[in-house]
Each structure stands twice: as C-alpha cells, then as structure tokens.
Amino acid sequence: FSFTVFVSFSLLCTLSAMYRLLSSAKQVYPIVEHVGWRSFSASASLQHEHILVERRVEGKVGLIQLNRPKALNALCDGLMNEVSVALDEMEADKKVGAIVITGSNRAFAAGADIKEMLPITFQKASRGNFLGHWDRVARCTKPTIAAVNGFALGGGCELAMMCDIIYAGEKAIFGQPEIKLGTIPGAGGTQRLTRAIGKSKAMELVLTGDNLAAVDAERAGLVSKVFPVDELLDKALELGGKIAAQSQMATGYAKEAVNSAYELSLTEGCRLEKKLFHASFGTDDRKEGMAAFVEKRKANFTDN
C-alpha cells in the first residue's frame, strides 16, 4: 500500500512540474499562445536577429521584413538562414495563405554582404555550394510577394525575383551590379532577369551593372505595379489578403502551373496544367467554389 501511495505521489509531482514548465514557457514565449503550440517553434521565432516576422490581415498573410538598417539590409548568410526558418514556419501555419517580403523605405536589400564574401576562395565556394540555400524563397509553396522600396541590387534584386509577384515603390531601384565587382550574379540573376525582361535588356544590365528605375522595371515586365512609397506595404498586404482569401489548394496548383512555364515546353506545360486542373476536381474547395457561383453567394473555402 505504501509503495502505491509513493508512486502516485511521485506521478502527481511530475505532472505538477510539467504544468509549471509549460505555463512558464507560455510566459517567456507569448507567441505560443497567439498562434498555437503546434504551429511552429516559438524559440526560433524569437531568436531572429536580422529580420522581423509578423502575421497580418487576421493572421492570413505572413510578413517578413529584412532588418539590417546599418547595412542597407545586405544579405548575409545569417539573414538568409532566418528567412528560411520564417518560411518554414509560415508554410506549416495552415492559416497563412500568402507571404509578403519587404525591407525598409531606403532599401529592400542593397545586395549581398560583400565583407562576408571577400575571404571566400574558389575551393570553399565550390565545395560548400556557396549560396546554394538562397533559393528557399523560390521553393516556397505558398504565394510570395516582394514589396520593394529603395535599393534592390545584386542579391536584393535576385531575392525579389524569387518571389511570385513584385510590387515596387516609385523610388525603387533594381540592378545586377556584380560585374563592377569582377564577378557575376550567383543566385539566379542572369536566369530570372532574362526570363522577366528578355535577353537584350537583361544582357545590357548584367554587362554594364546599370540600374533600372521602378517605372522602367514595370514597363519591362519585371514589376507588376508601382505605388507611392508610403502606400507600398499596405498595397502588398492587400494583395496578400486577396490571395489568401482563395482556396489554398487552388493557389498552390496555380502557382505550380505558372512556374512550370519557366521550365517546360509549351506541350509539357499544358499537360501539367491539365493534370493540376483535373486534380482540383478532387477537392472540396472546387465543389464549394462552383456551387457558390451557381447559387450566387460567396464561397466558403476550407482548404480541403
């Protein structure tokens, strides 16, 4: 009998200690209460040094703000790792339907951190697949929007082009000036810029290192829309909210289909599009969307 009492008392003490631990964790990491313990690691969210992370538009739009003001948001390895962690969290958060990436009014990102790059040798760059992980934004499964104010040069321009849509402030400046440093773009600049604005214009910018103003970037097809500086972020969040209001199943299919146009022939791309179109007929959201249209009401998507 005494042994049973001892075991029960020990179990009670253990459960009490666990409860106190969880309670204190929620005090130390208040974000746990806000988004739910299952959503992502609270400690990881609070350890960001180079970015700020928020949820906007009723939690449906993730916002990642590059935050190295003294370096004009130069893209160091630590910052890009933090962006990857934030994207992992937002992809795991079922409520988030779109993601906005922005910087400051002065600079989206003025380029890669040249001081960090300077001592890197060919052997280290090649064997370590230098910049290999920088394409995390391009691999994001949820729609991404770059809200670009100020400088978006070198790696900053490449980061913006990894996003699905680019909105720019009227004073934004784009460019790939790596040629002036004795090198070339290394995170997709030569490839994405050419696909966005054509070979001749891309070749001119890459070979000269010249810049492209926001209005010219819009005219060339690099940028979707241009806004006054102080309206840019609100407009990007508004777009994110509009996208997030759709079925996440459908936006995922749509993003995959459009991006395939970069990689596939027309025949192969149309074949993939048809398969994704057919796949949508297996979702509850497709049934709801069509039923709502017929019944002349707003669709209530459940992302299933």
Side-chain angles (χ1 to χ4, degrees):
F1 174 75
S2 60
F3 175 75
T4 302
V5 171
F6 173 76
V7 171
S8 299
F9 179 74
S10 299
L11 180 60
L12 181 62
C13 290
T14 301
L15 292 174
S16 177
M18 289 177 65
Y19 176 80
R20 289 196 300 272
L21 179 61
L22 288 173
S23 297
S24 65
K26 290 180 179 180
Q27 292 175 356
V28 175
Y29 307 124
I31 197 169
V32 172
E33 280 290 310
H34 179 63
V35 299
W37 189 277
R38 61 171 178 76
S39 295
F40 54 81
S41 167
S43 58
S45 290
L46 296 180
Q47 289 176 358
H48 294 317
E49 180 182 357
H50 304 301
I51 65 174
L52 302 174
V53 179
E54 299 179 58
R55 265 62 166 177
R56 297 283 192 92
V57 193
E58 299 178 346
K60 296 178 181 179
V61 179
L63 176 62
I64 300 174
Q65 182 178 4
L66 311 185
N67 188 38
R68 295 187 72 202
K70 293 182 179 179
L72 294 180
N73 293 330
L75 305 179
C76 62
D77 199 56
L79 183 149
M80 295 305 293
N81 284 331
E82 290 178 6
V83 168
S84 294
V85 170
L87 289 174
D88 289 343
E89 295 171 354
M90 290 177 182
E91 284 190 321
D93 189 340
K94 294 181 179 180
K95 191 174 182 179
V96 173
I99 300 166
V100 173
I101 300 178
T102 192
S104 66
N105 284 352
R106 190 179 177 192
F108 176 75
D113 192 325
I114 304 304
K115 291 182 180 179
E116 187 177 76
M117 284 189 177
L118 184 59
I120 296 177
T121 63
F122 163 73
Q123 290 81 1
K124 184 176 181 180
S126 179
R127 294 174 183 173
N129 191 23
F130 183 48
L131 304 188
H133 66 291
W134 279 34
D135 67 346
R136 178 63 182 86
V137 173
R139 291 185 286 104
C140 183
T141 57
K142 295 185 177 182
T144 53
I145 303 160
V148 178
N149 264 325
F151 298 111
L153 304 177
C157 186
E158 290 172 310
L159 178 62
M161 291 191 293
M162 291 179 199
C163 294
D164 299 311
I165 300 168
I166 302 177
Y167 272 10
E170 57 191 355
K171 295 182 180 179
I173 298 174
F174 298 85
Q176 299 291 163
E178 290 87 349
I179 200 75
K180 297 178 180 179
L181 303 177
T183 185
I184 68 171
T190 62
Q191 304 304 301
R192 292 190 175 94
L193 188 62
T194 302
R195 286 166 168 79
I197 67 176
K199 176 187 174 182
S200 182
K201 191 63 178 177
M203 189 71 80
E204 179 185 1
L205 294 177
V206 170
L207 292 181
T208 64
D210 287 347
N211 295 333
L212 193 66
V215 63
D216 295 323
E218 181 185 22
R219 189 179 297 118
L222 178 62
V223 167
S224 179
K225 293 180 181 178
V226 176
F227 299 98
V229 171
D230 58 355
E231 295 181 14
L232 173 66
L233 183 56
D234 287 340
K235 292 295 186 180
L237 290 170
E238 181 182 333
L239 174 64
K242 189 174 184 179
I243 293 171
Q246 312 304 320
S247 162
Q248 288 192 34
M249 300 288 290
T251 57
Y253 290 150
K255 173 171 176 168
E256 182 179 354
V258 173
N259 281 337
S260 72
Y262 279 119
E263 309 291 342
L264 304 177
S265 69
L266 178 60
T267 299
E268 292 170 330
C270 288
R271 185 180 297 118
L272 174 62
E273 178 190 78
K274 193 74 71 181
K275 287 182 179 179
L276 294 171
F277 170 67
H278 291 164
S280 73
F281 279 72
T283 68
D284 294 337
D285 283 347
R286 194 278 311 173
K287 297 176 184 177
E288 167 61 14
M290 291 189 176
F293 177 82
V294 172
E295 296 166 11
K296 295 181 171 56
R297 60 175 175 82
K298 184 178 179 179
N300 180 27
F301 295 123
T302 58
D303 302 324
N304 292 309

